[in-house]
Amino acid sequence: MLIPVILLALALAMDAFAVAVSQGAAFRPSVSRAMLIAAAFGIAQATMPLAGWMLGISFTSLIQSVDHWIALILLVVLGGRMAWEGLNPAKGDEPRPLDGLALLTASIATSVDAAVAGLTLPLFGAPILVACAIIGIITAALSAAGVWIGKLAGDRMGKSAEVAGGIVLIALGIRIFIDHQFFGG
């Protein structure tokens, strides 16, 4: 029950990880700045799936018979977008130091997909608050590590992490679909 949530958390954290790597590579932030970046990404990533889940429970009776299709479509689209962006970086996608409003904006922007994924959390069978905490903790840890890795390895790894995260999201969507469609999960 927790393994799929951990895999989801790892996949969702890849956007934040990529930004953290670029911050580490470009600006060599202090330990306190790295922890601030990690905390901002972790908190946003923990709260956004909760918001998505709350929206989902409002419409439970409408989506219960097609929830596995919704999970498949959402996770494949999210994963495909992440992989595409990792393989095709946007022009002018230069990192900027994350302070104040820029950090808040970046943390929300990198966790929008977590809000959408929050719709699928009941399908994983873990308590929602536990799942959100796992997502937030993993994102914070990977973001802190991302800053450190960026300092050491440069920003090349960030896009590869996005591609890997996208592939994991697609695999999770397929797993949920197969489990619910063919095994009554």
Side-chain angles (χ1 to χ4, degrees):
M1 143 170 81
L2 290 181
I3 298 296
V5 173
I6 291 169
L7 291 173
L8 177 66
L10 289 168
L12 291 173
M14 289 302 116
D15 283 345
F17 176 78
V19 172
V21 168
S22 70
Q23 287 293 297
F27 305 107
R28 312 292 194 267
S30 65
V31 171
S32 62
R33 171 65 55 199
M35 292 300 108
L36 180 63
I37 291 169
F41 285 131
I43 290 168
Q45 206 75 315
T47 56
M48 292 296 266
L50 186 60
W53 171 76
M54 290 163 80
L55 180 64
I57 62 169
S58 299
F59 300 102
T60 298
S61 63
L62 296 173
I63 63 172
Q64 198 165 22
S65 65
V66 294
D67 60 357
H68 54 287
W69 283 99
I70 292 169
L72 174 68
I73 292 166
L74 290 176
L75 292 174
V76 166
V77 167
L78 288 172
R81 182 187 59 85
M82 280 178 66
W84 177 261
E85 289 174 2
L87 293 170
N88 301 292
K91 301 282 187 243
D93 204 11
E94 299 297 317
R96 285 170 263 150
L98 295 177
D99 294 347
L101 186 58
L103 179 57
L104 176 64
T105 302
S107 61
I108 291 170
T110 58
S111 61
V112 169
D113 54 350
V116 176
L119 292 169
T120 68
L121 285 180
L123 300 173
F124 291 101
I128 300 305
L129 293 178
V130 171
C132 290
I134 289 169
I135 291 167
I137 290 166
I138 287 175
T139 299
L142 286 177
S143 296
V147 172
W148 180 75
I149 290 168
K151 284 181 170 183
L152 297 176
D155 62 353
R156 185 172 181 211
M157 180 181 270
K159 293 298 177 183
S160 298
E162 278 189 86
V163 173
I167 291 168
V168 169
L169 285 178
I170 291 168
L172 281 172
I174 292 169
R175 181 198 157 274
I176 288 169
F177 177 78
I178 290 171
D179 188 44
H180 283 255
Q181 187 69 24
F182 300 110
F183 301 108

